[in-house]
Amino acid sequence: MKKTISLLFYLLSLTVFSQFRYLDTLPDDGFELTRKKPKELLEISDYYLTRDLNTCLQIINLAEKKIQNDNNKGYLDLAYANYYLEVGFFDISLEKALSSFNQLKENSDFITLRKVRRTLAKLDRQNKNISKAIKQYKTLIAEIINDKPSIELGGYYLDIANTYMYLKKEDFSKNTKKYLDLALDVFKKLKNKTGEGIAYSIYGRYYKLLLFNNGDKINFKKAEVSIKKALKIFKNLEQINNQAYALYSNATLHSILGDHNSSIPYYKLALEKYEKIGHLYFAMKINQHLFVSYSILNKNNLALKINKKYIKLKDSIFNIKKRKFIADSEIKFQVEKIKSEKKIAELNSKRTTSILVALVLIFILVTILLWFHFERLRAKRKIEFVELELKETQKRLEIEKLYNDSELKALKSQMNPHFIFNALNSIQDYIILNEKKLARQYLVKFSRLIRIYLEQSQKIAITLNEEIKALRLYLELERDRFNDDFSFEISIGKNLELDDVQIPSLFLQPYVENALKHGLLHKKENKKLAIFFEKDETSNMLVCTIRDNGVGREASLKINKKRNKLHNSFATSANQKRVDLLNQNNNQFLELKINDLFENKMPIGTEVIVKISLNYKQ
């Protein structure tokens, strides 16, 4: 059980993308920002990446206002790339890094180009392109390894050590330890305390990973000592961001051992610091950790409260990206408008010159040409007006789609804890009844299902094969809960290619859950559930039929009213809202029908028929 819980917390804590910086003090003490040149401001912004993200962004914005030409554009884009990498907006960071690379390549600034390549390697690591990232770091190290020991070289050693920990191989330990030792040696020779602190922080993660793999508690002590060394250094240097990450590492260390009461205070301290510097991404991750910890400790009220904060932060990050998208669209529109007006002005200037020459030749010809000219100009303006209206309509539709997509994501985020609490209660029942073996088997299946749901909750659509695997695992869990007084079958038509068909993620599970909860739960024995997947050639739709032999909707409603007058199925209402939103976005591609089954006027179960267009792609 402890191993499974450790796996859950380890998976949640895998994201490590902190843009480590090695400046102990400001590049220029006693500065006045308004008098600094753009490149000087960008160097100062680098210092604040580990201390105050809001101040960092303000300084980058100030540098952008001061830039008068494109010579400094590459440096500005690099600063933005590092900032967005730090706060977790990886797609924006990649866009800025590639733009910086192209600019600096033209300027032949190879020293700064190395910094850009390092940022791109970190993005490759974050996107799980591990072998590509390692190859890039080895190339960077080879370029400067024969020079004097430098902060830059120590940084590359730390980056490649951190990257090796993503490999699922036996020799990750040897490579990680080798480069960590090299990095620490460089920073000690240079007397760079920030570099030493970051090295100890990554040592902590390294020993934590060894602890997770072999369970040796000696590694727990080593990890704890390394993290405390890092935390002491960062406190002395007043590096809030690095302090927060060290506290976060210490919290996950205790969580892996299952000591959630000890981990929660560290999570809270880390959360307080990340909120102070405006680091939304890590604030969201820590709230996710706290939700799981409180749930395991049966502190359900705190778990629900934390989950609301997690959903709010997730939506905030999404809205920031959406606002940037709208702002970028507006800028592009204004640029195109200015170019269009400039072209029209140049065209009018040429035509005016022609008209003046023609006036000298003959007045009547000029009059005729002017008449044709104004008629053509009026027609062109009408066309431009229609095109402008079309662009505005397209932009409005894109914004509406972004809003609908955000609602869909919020609904899925609310549906995940609904199932988690039911499963945790089942595990609790096994433990109370002292069914250790059953509890362990159930918990293993539950952890696998949670991992699947965590992955699927980040996607808009999944393949039918993925959905069937998740449903089968979910029904096996429910069969265990019913003590084998429940059987199910999943039937798949021969003409279906499971990996080619896409459906909305986490869509069918609530209907299956309702069949169990409201139909079969109230039936005394012989509980059966059948799920059929087939292709309707006529309408080119996937047809999913969920059929149970339960007590029927009417009898279930009466039972629920007796137990709770205010009963209302969250999954049903949430999924109905998803159906409406999905049809709105995809032009009525989904059909839903629920039938009550009778035999001799007696209810014998319920049938749910879901039809999804085979043309659905995301």
Side-chain angles (χ1 to χ4, degrees), residues 569-585:
S569 174
F570 165 75
T572 302
S573 60
N575 241 33
Q576 184 57 50
K577 190 170 183 181
R578 286 190 73 195
V579 169
D580 297 337
L581 288 170
L582 286 166
N583 278 335
Q584 183 178 341
N585 282 348

Side-chain angles (χ1 to χ4, degrees), residues 9-16 128 165-166 205 248 285:
F9 277 92
Y10 175 67
L11 291 173
L12 288 174
S13 63
L14 270 181
T15 304
V16 179
K128 304 299 184 293
M165 283 189 278
Y166 281 78
R205 180 170 178 247
Y248 171 66
K285 294 289 292 184

Side-chain angles (χ1 to χ4, degrees), residues 16 20 201 205 240-249 274 282:
V16 179
F20 293 128
S201 184
R205 180 170 178 247
I240 300 176
N241 193 9
N242 286 336
Q243 286 180 52
Y245 182 72
L247 290 166
Y248 171 66
S249 294
Y274 278 128
F282 260 120

